[in-house]
Amino acid sequence: MLKNVQEWVLLLGIFGITALIGNWAGYDILPLKAIPGMITLVVICLAGFILKELIPINFPSIAYISIIGVIVSMPWIPGSEKVVQWTSEVQLLALATPILAYAGIAIGRSWTDFVKLGWKTIIVATLVMLGTFLGSAVIAEIILRFQGII
């Protein structure tokens, strides 16, 4: 398990640094201002991964991470104000970008596995991505027109 923890710390560290840079580039939030929030998020993720290994129930690590995140941000938990303050300096898209890049690299490295899924999967994936893009564009168009921006 120690090897897993070391790998998780390394990956979460790389992810955190990348997200801090994205947060700075995209939202003009200086890394020094966002570091406490990023460290908090990394520690919550690490705790979720460790719980997944320690508890013998087949429960996904993302569920543990979500539960821990909700608990530490509840108003009656001591220090929750700081957790919320720190993590509010880290923007969601700054976090999503490195995750999506990693997912793209992971898929790119296993094209043979992806091809084994068959041509129907490629069509479904393409339609899902197209639908997501078009749906987002329609929602953005409606909201921007409603607000009078366009």
Side-chain angles (χ1 to χ4, degrees):
M1 175 145 147
L2 181 61
K3 185 176 185 213
N4 285 345
V5 172
Q6 290 172 335
E7 289 177 5
W8 295 331
V9 168
L10 178 65
L11 288 173
L12 288 171
I14 292 169
F15 166 75
I17 291 168
T18 308
L20 284 172
I21 293 169
N23 205 40
W24 183 23
Y27 299 97
D28 291 329
I29 298 173
L30 294 174
L32 285 176
K33 192 173 181 185
I35 282 176
M38 187 58 67
I39 290 172
T40 303
L41 293 173
V42 165
V43 168
I44 290 170
C45 290
L46 189 59
F49 289 149
I50 292 171
L51 280 178
K52 163 88 168 101
E53 293 296 316
L54 293 178
I55 299 175
I57 299 172
N58 188 14
F59 201 58
S61 58
I62 187 68
Y64 288 114
I65 294 167
S66 299
I67 291 168
I68 294 168
V70 168
I71 289 172
V72 299
S73 63
M74 288 184 166
W76 55 83
I77 300 296
S80 66
E81 300 85 20
K82 280 293 183 192
V83 169
V84 172
Q85 177 187 352
W86 292 336
T87 56
S88 66
E89 295 296 332
V90 181
Q91 300 299 314
L92 177 65
L93 285 179
L95 296 172
T97 303
I99 292 171
L100 294 175
Y102 178 74
I105 291 169
I107 289 173
R109 288 181 54 201
S110 61
W111 274 111
T112 54
D113 295 335
F114 188 67
V115 170
K116 288 179 188 175
L117 296 174
W119 62 272
K120 293 178 184 176
T121 305
I122 295 172
I123 291 173
V124 169
T126 303
L127 291 175
V128 166
M129 287 186 263
L130 181 65
T132 302
F133 174 76
L134 291 176
S136 299
V138 167
I139 291 169
E141 181 77 21
I142 291 169
I143 290 173
L144 291 174
R145 285 191 187 273
F146 180 73
Q147 292 178 339
I149 296 173
I150 58 170

